[in-house]
Amino acid sequence: MARRRAGRGRNPDVPGLRDPLTMLVRRGREPAVVQTVRSTAAAVIAYVVALWLSNEPAPLTAPLTALLVVQVTLYATLTTGVRRVNSVVAGVIIAIGFSALVGLSWWSLGLIILASLVIGRFVKAGEFVPEVAISAMLVLGVTRVAETAWDRVLETLIGAVVGLLFNVLLVPPVWVQPAGEAIEDLARRMRLLLQDIGEEITGHTPVEEAAARLHAARRLDHDIVQVDASLRQAEDSLRLNPRVKEGLLYRVVLRTGLDALEITAVVLRVTCRTLTDLATHRREESLFPEETAAALREVFTNMALAVEHFAIVITTHVTTSAEHAEDNLTRELDAARRTRDHAADLLLRQVQLHPRQWQLHGALLAEIDRILDELDVEKRTERLTQELDRHSREQRERYPRLHRIAQRLRKSRYGRRSTLK
């Protein structure tokens, strides 16, 4: 426990973090809280506007549509808003037809649901096909008269326009910071696991303890899924956002960084599997001789610090802080490689004297090499360059005319500058 508290992670015993005001501020920055407030405001505005423009005394379809249209990011609003509006409008029109013909009964309700789900496939509602049926049932439950039901179409359009304008004029926040914090928390858990592995290597290791480390490594898969969801939200918040000038660079840095951590987590799980197999074969003795164990422990300690510094590098946008973290990362990786080479020499001598489970020794060294390679600074730069080039190539292929226009503009600017010189 003392070793865990000595790390860079937040200490739950620090009084400042228990301050209710601090917790309230942190909660207020969470995407779910912000989205709740924004959706409520948009729905109320849509209802007020519908009261002015509609003849209905309670135009509830307008706030319903606004709730569906307003998303946590501007990109999601623009990309899913059209499909959501299609689903609501289709449901309203279906409800108008049924209210004029048959009214509401158990068999007409079944027909409404069936028709809504079928028609939803043809109006390009996408994943919002069930909302066609939901909208139809809600409207039919409120009104059965076709003349008044047409007001629902107007309310739907009001809600859609208010929802779109709300996110266009009041652009949602950029969710890079929550994604960065999620990545750093993942790196801290990986650091603690690497430190525990370093402690496990020294002395006798029961199979049960090694298996517990393996289960902890497997749980990282679930953590990565959650971090990936947070990162996807951050990527959407950067797209089409007028507040961000280098949205593509931020997205690529975070995505490639998480990819490297995900591969590291997979290799870390395999490492725990290797150590568990060693513990199974060496139940009555230490995994490694004392000198070899000390060298491997130092390797895992350096890798633990390198993982955390790597997360800071990819989540820090302040130049001085990023450079400082990159220097720390380079230092820890260099130290890990030196100690890894020393441990490899010791393992080779041990295998030559007692060639038991030599394949597991080689696997352990290969897994250490893979982790160090994934965290390497030069490889990260190369990966960033490749990803940016790939994105530029895709943009040129997707919008060739826009690319030609941009080239002509650059050439004309270069020509004017040459003439002035």
Side-chain angles (χ1 to χ4, degrees), residues 346-406:
L346 296 175
L347 285 173
L348 178 59
R349 297 175 196 170
Q350 182 182 352
V351 168
Q352 290 173 341
L353 294 175
H354 304 286
R356 296 181 308 153
Q357 295 87 45
W358 59 268
Q359 72 279 8
L360 294 179
H361 293 182
L364 182 62
L365 290 176
E367 291 147 11
I368 291 173
D369 289 340
R370 185 60 186 274
I371 293 176
L372 295 177
D373 184 60
E374 287 299 325
L375 302 178
D376 186 72
V377 175
E378 293 183 359
K379 183 172 182 178
R380 171 178 170 270
T381 303
E382 180 182 355
R383 190 184 294 117
L384 283 175
T385 304
Q386 292 175 351
E387 190 65 21
L388 290 172
D389 291 342
R390 184 188 64 81
H391 186 274
S392 300
R393 184 172 60 255
E394 290 179 352
Q395 290 295 104
R396 289 196 301 268
E397 294 173 354
R398 185 178 300 177
Y399 308 106
R401 293 183 180 180
L402 184 61
H403 176 65
R404 287 195 293 268
I405 293 173

Side-chain angles (χ1 to χ4, degrees), residues 13 25 30 79 123 137 153-154 234-235 248 310 316 371 373 382 397 404 407 410:
D13 295 331
V25 172
E30 292 182 359
T79 54
V123 298
M137 288 186 291
V153 178
L154 176 61
E235 291 173 331
L248 173 61
F310 180 84
T316 303
I371 293 176
D373 184 60
E382 180 182 355
E397 294 173 354
R404 287 195 293 268
Q407 280 186 323
R410 284 195 293 267

Side-chain angles (χ1 to χ4, degrees), residues 252-269:
V252 172
V253 168
L254 291 174
R255 175 55 62 184
T256 54
L258 180 59
D259 290 343
L261 288 177
E262 183 175 2
I263 295 174
T264 302
V266 172
V267 180
L268 186 55
R269 185 171 70 245

Side-chain angles (χ1 to χ4, degrees), residues 159-211:
V161 171
V162 169
L164 290 173
L165 289 178
F166 188 88
N167 262 14
V168 170
L169 299 178
L170 300 175
V171 181
V174 176
W175 302 114
V176 173
Q177 183 177 352
E181 292 175 353
I183 291 175
E184 290 187 4
D185 288 340
L186 172 64
R188 291 189 189 102
R189 289 191 287 272
M190 295 173 66
R191 182 206 70 194
L192 292 174
L193 182 57
L194 283 165
Q195 289 177 340
D196 288 343
I197 292 174
E199 294 293 334
E200 171 191 313
I201 286 177
T202 58
H204 174 65
T205 302
V207 178
E208 295 76 15
E209 184 177 340

Side-chain angles (χ1 to χ4, degrees), residues 72-73 171-178 233-234 237-238 241 243-244 250:
V72 70
T73 65
V171 181
V174 176
W175 302 114
V176 173
Q177 183 177 352
Q233 188 176 76
S237 71
L238 292 170
N241 197 319
R243 299 180 182 178
V244 183
Y250 286 163

